[in-house]
Amino acid sequence: ERAIARHEVREIEQRHTVDGPRQDVALDEEDDVVIIYNRVPKTASTSFTNIAYDLCAKNKYHVLHINTTKNNPVMSLQDQVRFVKNVTSWKEMKPGFYHGHVSYLDFAKFGVKKKPIYINVIRDPIERLVSYYYFLRFGDDYRPGLRRRKQGDKKTFDECVAAGGSDCAPEKLWLQIPFFCGHSSECWNVGSRWALEQAKYNLINEYFLVGVTEELEDFIMLLEAALPRFFRGATELYRTGKKSHLRKTTEKKLPTKETIAKLQQSEIWKMENEFYEFALEQFQFVRAHAVREKDGELYILAQNFFYEKIYPKSN
């Protein structure tokens, strides 16, 4: 996979060299843009990423998958430096859309002049954990032949919770908070109130838009309206495309009310749920100021500001 990836990169760089050298040429402001989607596992991230892949040729940008060893969301310090350098100075890959299971990385710490645009999607924490639990055992319809880590384990999620299993323990809910919190040690201390507050701060101050899995179409609609350079045509593609609903976890059984109630007694669930509801409220606030509903359909508002009293007057 790495050899193939290196070959693909060389092909793109050679193509840019043939088209004209870009290393010493300043990029247009519209092209000097990078989006990072540090996707949380089992939040419909594959569905959304497929849209980016489908649109990249038409809208003229590059999509790059960040593949970390063993899907470790925390990069080493030296890899952080390499990644920041790639994202900010790799002109052949701009405009670029980077995606991968990597926790938030603060580019300002590295002294860069222009930071990337962060986006993300999160999901109800229990629904996300249930989906991941069955995904590890049965896979999904995206790559049905691939053998998963827990394949052969037929125990249901309800049975796991009743038996106090490790794969369904409340500690496994602790994922969306550290993904947004970042690369600090405290982010990964399960149940840290500081991590929760830092995740909230980053969501508001460092992310352009954070959607929720349950309202993915609205998230895509807002991105298309705000960032058409990347997402022009995304809403229609999501509604009609064959890939947008591609990945579904196989053999998933919904947990009982008793199982859900047991998980909801934990402080970890309360914190992850607090973060989810915080994100949901913010997303709905953004949406309420960007769209209107008519006959059951959502419509993006036209430009609602203008300039006046412009001085000095031109002759």
Side-chain angles (χ1 to χ4, degrees):
E1 288 181 347
R2 290 181 179 180
I4 292 171
R6 283 195 292 268
H7 178 70
E8 290 174 343
V9 167
R10 280 198 298 270
E11 279 191 336
I12 292 171
E13 290 181 335
Q14 288 170 2
R15 191 158 64 243
H16 281 303
T17 303
V18 171
D19 294 342
R22 296 182 63 176
Q23 287 294 334
D24 299 321
V25 178
L27 293 173
D28 292 338
E29 186 175 349
E30 190 180 54
D31 288 339
D32 191 16
V33 178
V34 170
I35 292 175
I36 295 181
Y37 172 34
N38 64 314
R39 44 196 282 195
V40 180
K42 305 314 294 177
T43 56
S45 61
T46 300
S47 298
F48 176 61
T49 305
N50 278 333
I51 291 174
Y53 277 112
D54 285 349
L55 290 174
C56 65
K58 180 180 177 182
N59 291 345
K60 294 183 172 57
Y61 62 88
H62 299 288
V63 181
L64 298 91
H65 179 209
I66 312 160
N67 188 348
T68 60
T69 303
K70 296 183 179 179
N71 285 326
N72 187 355
V74 177
M75 290 183 175
S76 67
L77 189 62
Q78 58 270 33
D79 273 349
Q80 292 177 43
V81 173
R82 294 183 187 110
F83 179 62
V84 169
K85 184 178 180 181
N86 286 155
V87 169
T88 54
S89 63
W90 202 358
K91 292 184 178 181
E92 287 86 357
M93 297 299 155
K94 290 184 178 180
F97 180 97
Y98 290 74
H99 69 96
H101 297 314
V102 180
S103 60
Y104 169 75
L105 184 61
D106 181 8
F107 275 61
K109 290 169 60 175
F110 299 85
V112 301
K113 294 179 181 178
K114 188 171 183 178
K115 298 198 295 185
I117 296 172
Y118 268 96
I119 62 172
N120 217 325
V121 177
I122 69 172
R123 187 176 184 179
D124 175 277
I126 292 181
E127 290 184 6
R128 194 207 66 79
L129 180 59
V130 171
S131 182
Y132 190 60
Y133 178 88
Y134 285 109
F135 170 72
L136 291 180
R137 284 151 179 78
F138 301 101
D140 55 25
D141 57 0
Y142 187 54
R143 289 184 290 178
L146 187 62
R147 184 174 179 83
R148 301 295 172 180
R149 183 152 50 92
K150 294 286 184 175
Q151 190 165 327
D153 181 1
K154 304 293 185 181
K155 187 184 297 181
T156 67
F157 188 81
D158 289 327
E159 291 168 344
C160 178
V161 171
S166 59
D167 284 349
C168 54
E171 288 76 13
K172 293 294 184 180
L173 292 166
W174 190 259
L175 190 70
Q176 299 187 132
I177 287 173
F179 256 74
F180 277 77
C181 179
H183 277 67
S184 300
S185 171
E186 187 65 18
C187 295
W188 298 89
N189 286 340
V190 178
S192 167
R193 174 59 57 173
W194 181 90
L196 170 59
E197 296 305 322
Q198 185 64 37
K200 288 181 178 179
Y201 176 88
N202 288 343
L203 186 147
I204 295 296
N205 294 284
E206 304 295 343
Y207 280 79
F208 180 77
L209 184 66
V210 177
V212 294
T213 303
E214 297 78 10
E215 298 173 7
L216 189 61
E217 183 176 324
D218 296 357
F219 171 72
I220 293 169
M221 181 187 293
L222 290 175
L223 282 178
E224 180 173 358
L227 300 173
R229 176 68 178 81
F230 285 82
F231 298 104
R232 185 178 291 108
T235 307
E236 184 64 21
L237 186 62
Y238 179 80
R239 290 171 176 169
T240 62
K242 294 179 180 178
K243 291 184 178 180
S244 60
H245 301 92
L246 183 61
R247 195 167 195 168
K248 290 184 174 65
T249 302
T250 308
E251 298 288 335
K252 184 168 68 175
K253 296 179 176 64
L254 296 178
T256 63
K257 292 180 180 179
E258 292 75 18
T259 296
I260 294 173
K262 188 171 182 178
L263 285 173
Q264 289 177 342
Q265 292 173 6
S266 74
E267 290 299 316
I268 298 168
W269 173 82
K270 291 174 183 176
M271 295 177 74
E272 275 281 349
N273 192 61
E274 180 181 335
F275 179 65
Y276 170 75
E277 290 185 346
F278 179 84
L280 177 60
E281 182 179 355
Q282 172 63 14
F283 175 70
Q284 291 176 340
F285 176 84
V286 172
R287 183 179 61 189
H289 287 80
V291 302
R292 289 290 180 271
E293 185 175 345
K294 183 179 180 182
D295 299 327
E297 292 287 333
L298 292 178
Y299 295 90
I300 293 291
L301 289 173
Q303 182 171 316
N304 206 21
F305 73 92
F306 57 93
Y307 305 103
E308 60 180 8
K309 296 182 181 180
I310 303 172
Y311 283 80
K313 296 288 188 181
S314 57
N315 294 327

